[in-house]
Structure formats: structure tokens, C-alpha cells
Amino acid sequence: MKFLAGSALAVVAALLPTTLAQTHTDCFPLNTTGCPDMSALGGNATFNFNNTGIPDGSKIWEKQNQGTIDWLEDKGATFTVARSGDSPMVQSKFYMLFGRFEVVMRAADGQGIVSSAILQSEDLDEIDWEFLGSNHTHCLTNYYGKGNTTVGDRGKEFKMDAAPQDDFHNYTIDWTKDRIQWWLDGNMLRQLNYSDALGGKNYPQTPMNVRLGIWAGGDTSHNDPGVVEWAGGKTNFDDGPFVMTVQSIYAQDYTSAATYSWADMDSSGSWEKVKVITGKSDVLKEIESPSGVKNRWKALPQGAKIGIIAGAIGAFALAMLALLFCCIKQRRAGRREHAALLAEEEKDAAELQEYKRQMQSGKFGFGSTVHRI
Ligand SMILES: *[C@@H]1O[C@H](CO)[C@@H](O)[C@H](O)[C@H]1NC(C)=O
Ligand SMILES: *[C@@H]1O[C@H](CO)[C@@H](O)[C@H](O)[C@H]1NC(C)=O
Ligand SMILES: *[C@@H]1O[C@H](CO)[C@@H](O)[C@H](O)[C@H]1NC(C)=O
Ligand SMILES: *[C@@H]1O[C@H](CO)[C@@H](O)[C@H](O)[C@H]1NC(C)=O
Ligand SMILES: *[C@@H]1O[C@H](CO)[C@@H](O)[C@H](O)[C@H]1NC(C)=O
Ligand SMILES: *[C@@H]1O[C@H](CO)[C@@H](O)[C@H](O)[C@H]1NC(C)=O
Ligand SMILES: *[C@@H]1O[C@H](CO)[C@@H](O)[C@H](O)[C@H]1NC(C)=O
């Protein structure tokens, strides 16, 4: 629950000071030295979870908490709350220092169920999209600076034309050092200027990773009454399972870096104290690496695998047939047929090449980097 609970709690923080301790980081870099370096994204990446889900043992995503993360072919990665205590979450191993985060997702239905797609840093800067399962008309936007959860005017709700639980929508965060924008399906809902976040003091400005998750704020055995109320009421797990589905993600780091370090950080939490180590990031290398093909293959739907195998066997069989024909025909009918059959063979070979190319470029796959116009 951790960070998610932290976000939700802001709303009721004044009522529930003790539960704030749940807001979580392994190493708070503003009062601790030696917090670990972070892998930068340092580029652009698209993850079409509708093709692959989120592969196990991924070097790019890390699953956390109790609960199932699976995938639905052609839909996306699914995050399921089936029983009390479930709060499946996935976080990126890459961080961005200012950047763009687009998520195409469908929120979970269900009283007390909270779906969320957020950016968060180790010193608890945070930019949020949140969805309450029982609210079919509004989405929530929020932000935090340095884990300051004092009730303020940070959270804002926006009316949607369609229920976020009924269909997929594109929720985008565009984050620079000067302002944060929240976009819904191509329309800007909100802009937060640096100076409007307590003169910048509460403005998110340290490297953040992507976190996707679902939890039951309405689980009375795990949450205080204020949280249950905020989340829309008590969750009845017999109504479940409750499923959030993420079709795709696009992430773009506005800093070209290999690594972000806290080495020069002080208590200010200022972006100017983040040490940027240049080079090509390991995560970006992994995303672009052809060895990713192995993961892509594993993650391919059964139908596609059969198709590719059938394609390969077919091409082989055709080639053998062609060879056979070639020998017989060559003797019997001379050069013309020979040439035609050779052309056929070449076409097959070209098709195989195209398959390979698509595999490598990640058309079928997991986390291809793209250049966007
Ligand atoms: C650092 O700050 C965090 C968050 O405010 C707090 O939980 C932690 O106890 C502090 N640690 C030290 C060593 O002061
Ligand atoms: C990321 O995409 C932007 C355009 O949206 C482009 O200007 C930039 O060069 C790309 N960066 C990388 C590393 O591909
Ligand atoms: C997969 O997701 C991408 C990006 O959101 C989308 O353009 C594409 O249409 C989706 N494919 C299917 C089969 O839904
Ligand atoms: C949904 O959220 C909006 C904004 O907070 C609120 O006005 C509305 O009453 C909520 N609807 C439900 C059904 O909770
Ligand atoms: C936390 O935010 C509140 C509301 O914006 C502000 O009044 C307070 O001074 C902030 N606390 C710190 C320690 O910055
Ligand atoms: C999502 O919306 C943003 C902002 O309107 C747009 O630039 C982007 O292309 C959209 N992304 C997807 C995957 O549809
Ligand atoms: C934020 O700054 C821009 C100019 O940089 C200004 O046009 C806009 O009105 C400001 N937004 C708010 C909410 O003050």
C-alpha cells in the first residue's frame, strides 16, 4: 500500500496523523547520506503491455506487494484486487528528471477500490492520477513535494465525458522544471506552475520512477475510517475481483543521463542538487537490446508463436520444395521455370527477414524505443 496510502491520506491527513508513517521510501536522501544511485531512462520508451503484459524477471519493471499482475491479450496488463490485503503494484527501475509519462488505461470498478498511475521520487516528490472505483464521473490529479502531506489545495478532481472504468483513456503528465501539466485524451486539464507550489518548495523536482497499482482503500481491516470514507466506502470483496488494465505506457526522460545520484543533495531537495551522470543508461540499453527478443518471444501470445513457427516451417518447406522442383524442372523445362521458382524463394527469404526485423524492432514486443514526430 505504502505510497498509495500516502497519496490518499493527504486528503484526510489532518484526521489521521499517525497513519502518515506509511508513506514509504527505503532511503530518504534529504537527511541520509549514501542513498543508492538511480538508473536514468535517458531517452524515450514505449511499452505496449497489450502485446506482452509485464514479463516476469523483467530488468525494467519490478513487481511489488500481494496480488496478481497478469495480462489480457489485446487489452493490457491487469492488476487485480481479489481479497483483503491485495495491492499489486509495479514500478519502473528507471527514473526521469523531468519528463513525460503517458498511460493508456482503464480504471477498476468497485466501491473503495483505488486505481493509480503515478510518478514518485525517493524523497517523496509525487505526481498522481487516481481513480476511485465507485466514482464513474471524475478522475483525480494530485502532487506532493518532499512528502509534505499537510492538507492543502494540491488535489483536484476533473469531470470526464465517460466513466474511466468503462474504457481506456490516455492520461498524460508533462513535467518540466517550470510547470506540470495533466492531459486527458488530448485536452489539458490542469497546469501547476513552480511558484504556485509553495514558492517551489512543494514542487516535484527530483528523479521519479513510474508506479502503477491498485489497492482497496475501502478494506476496513487495513485502513482507518477516514481512508475508507475517502476511497468511497467499504469494499465488499464478494463483488470482486477488481481489475485495473494498463494498455500502454510511454515514458520520456527530459534529461539525457545514464544515472542520477544523491551525492550532492542537501535538505533543499532542489533539482539543481541532483547529480546527473551522463552516458547511455543501462535500462535504455536493455530496452533497445536485441537480447530483449528472448523476452519478447516468451511474452508473445500463443497464437502469434504458432503463427511464427508455422511461418518459419512453411518457409523451410517451401524452400525445400522449391529446391526439389528446381532440380526436376531445371532438367525438364529449362531456364524459365527455374528463374520463377528462384524469385519465389527470394520472396520467402525476404518475408522471413521482415519477420526478424519486426521482432528486433520490437513491433511484436516489449519496450521498443521509438522516435516520435
Ligand atoms: C529523515 O526524514 C524522514 C522523513 O521525514 C523520517 O522518516 C526519518 O526518520 C528521518 N531520518 C533521519 C535519520 O533523520
Ligand atoms: C525522444 O523523442 C523526442 C521527440 O518527441 C526526440 O526529440 C528525442 O530525440 C527522442 N530521444 C531519444 C533518445 O530518442
Ligand atoms: C495496443 O496499445 C497501443 C498503444 O496504446 C494501441 O495503439 C494499439 O491499438 C493497441 N493494440 C490493441 C490490439 O489494442
Ligand atoms: C465523484 O467525485 C466528484 C468530485 O469529488 C464528486 O463531486 C462526486 O459526488 C463523486 N461521485 C460519487 C458517485 O462518489
Ligand atoms: C507543507 O505544505 C503546507 C501547505 O502548502 C505548508 O503550509 C507547510 O509550510 C509545508 N511544510 C513544509 C515543512 O514545507
Ligand atoms: C496521449 O495524449 C498526449 C497528450 O495529448 C499525446 O501527445 C499522446 O500522443 C497520446 N498518447 C497515446 C499513446 O495515445
Ligand atoms: C502559469 O504560468 C503561465 C505563464 O508561464 C501563465 O500563463 C499561467 O496563467 C500560470 N498558471 C496559473 C494557474 O497561474
Side-chain angles (χ1 to χ4, degrees), residues 237-251:
F237 289 96
D238 292 338
D239 294 343
F242 308 104
V243 183
M244 157 180 134
T245 312
V246 179
Q247 181 178 92
S248 67
I249 282 178
Y250 172 72

Side-chain angles (χ1 to χ4, degrees), residues 4 10-11 19 22 28 37 39 67 102-103 110 114 121 139 144 173 186 205 217 237 255 282 291 344 352 371:
L4 295 161
V11 179
T19 39
Q22 281 183 46
F28 192 72
D37 286 355
S39 211
E102 303 169 6
V103 54
V114 186
S121 76
C139 56
Y144 298 90
I173 291 168
Q205 53 190 291
F237 289 96
T255 304
D282 286 342
S291 78
E344 182 80 10
L352 254 185
H371 293 269

Side-chain angles (χ1 to χ4, degrees), residues 217-267:
D219 184 347
T220 47
S221 58
H222 283 86
N223 298 309
D224 294 299
V227 176
V228 176
E229 194 189 329
W230 170 81
K234 184 177 186 314
T235 298
N236 178 0
F237 289 96
D238 292 338
D239 294 343
F242 308 104
V243 183
M244 157 180 134
T245 312
V246 179
Q247 181 178 92
S248 67
I249 282 178
Y250 172 72
Q252 180 176 352
D253 193 341
Y254 286 165
T255 304
S256 179
T259 306
Y260 298 117
S261 158
W262 297 109
D264 301 336
M265 186 47 75
D266 57 20
S267 62

Side-chain angles (χ1 to χ4, degrees), residues 48 50 74 104 247-248:
N48 283 332
N50 56 2
D74 294 341
V104 178
Q247 181 178 92
S248 67

Side-chain angles (χ1 to χ4, degrees), residues 302-370:
Q302 200 58 29
K305 279 184 189 167
I306 290 167
I308 291 169
I309 290 172
I313 291 173
F316 181 72
L318 259 177
M320 292 312 285
L321 258 180
L323 208 68
L324 194 68
F325 258 111
C326 158
C327 299
I328 300 165
K329 288 254 176 177
Q330 200 179 7
R331 263 180 273 149
R332 287 188 184 166
R335 283 177 170 275
R336 247 167 74 198
E337 284 89 341
H338 182 203
L341 281 162
L342 269 182
E344 182 80 10
E345 218 177 325
E346 264 163 33
K347 195 171 144 247
D348 273 329
E351 271 167 15
L352 254 185
Q353 272 314 111
E354 175 62 12
Y355 251 128
K356 273 199 199 144
R357 196 191 60 71
Q358 286 180 347
M359 292 285 291
Q360 309 245 338
S361 74
K363 175 160 177 188
F364 298 119
F366 173 61
S368 58
T369 57
V370 292

Side-chain angles (χ1 to χ4, degrees), residues 193-214:
N193 290 340
Y194 178 89
S195 56
D196 294 332
L198 199 65
K201 216 177 152 198
N202 276 350
Y203 190 82
Q205 53 190 291
T206 48
M208 298 207 263
N209 65 356
V210 172
R211 305 185 186 201
L212 308 166
I214 179 174

Side-chain angles (χ1 to χ4, degrees), residues 88-99:
M89 194 266 264
V90 79
Q91 62 180 0
S92 70
K93 294 186 180 176
F94 62 79
Y95 289 74
M96 304 183 276
L97 182 54
F98 306 114

